[in-house]
Amino acid sequence: MGIFKPKAWLSEVTDLDKTEPRSYKEALLHPRWKQAMLEEYEALIKNNTWSLTPLPKDRKVIDSKWEFRLKQTLSGEITRFKACLVAQGFNQDYGIDYFETFSPVVKPTTIRLVLLITLSHN
């Protein structure tokens, strides 16, 4: 028996569910988008992705914004409401505004390269 994750399908999809909000204010009016925002916030807190710190006098606040996406199957059925809080980091300076970067994605080519190097060194 293999390990699998059962698919959870959303029921009762309305016309309002088929559009992505353009702002966080719009998203807060819809329960499913509001839940998606709450899940994203809780994940950021749980993973210690960011922390609030006092703002130095010579620095500006780095803005952030919410991005909203509907995740769908190939047939168009909505499977997930996805909200991401992203920093508008084009104004950031390394060592001042941030100290490390985080990317949860590993490309298959990277895994193959690491395995190839490992095999070549026994």
Side-chain angles (χ1 to χ4, degrees):
M1 296 181 76
I3 298 173
F4 70 95
K5 182 177 178 182
K7 293 193 185 265
W9 302 102
L10 300 174
S11 60
E12 299 180 21
V13 176
T14 65
D15 286 340
L16 289 174
D17 293 335
K18 295 178 184 176
T19 59
E20 296 169 350
R22 295 183 182 158
S23 69
Y24 76 94
K25 290 179 182 179
E26 190 178 321
L28 288 174
L29 298 175
H30 193 285
R32 289 183 175 162
W33 286 114
K34 188 174 180 179
Q35 179 62 33
M37 292 170 70
L38 181 61
E39 289 170 6
E40 171 72 359
Y41 176 75
E42 288 173 350
L44 292 172
I45 297 298
K46 178 183 171 190
N47 295 324
N48 294 320
T49 304
W50 57 270
S51 59
L52 294 177
T53 58
L55 182 66
K57 293 179 183 176
D58 61 337
R59 302 304 300 173
K60 291 183 179 178
V61 173
I62 295 171
D63 292 328
S64 61
K65 69 177 195 168
W66 285 97
E67 293 284 335
F68 303 100
R69 295 288 179 259
L70 285 171
K71 300 297 181 176
Q72 301 177 5
T73 62
L74 291 176
S75 63
E77 294 179 74
I78 297 173
T79 58
R80 185 170 181 209
F81 291 77
K82 177 73 176 156
C84 292
L85 182 63
V86 295
Q88 295 178 329
F90 44 82
N91 294 326
Q92 292 180 307
D93 295 321
Y94 180 76
I96 297 172
D97 298 316
Y98 70 96
F99 299 100
E100 61 185 76
T101 58
F102 172 74
S103 177
V105 178
V106 177
K107 296 181 180 178
T109 54
T110 304
I111 293 172
R112 283 193 290 266
L113 179 64
V114 170
L115 290 174
L116 181 64
I117 293 170
T118 304
L119 285 173
S120 68
H121 290 8
N122 291 326

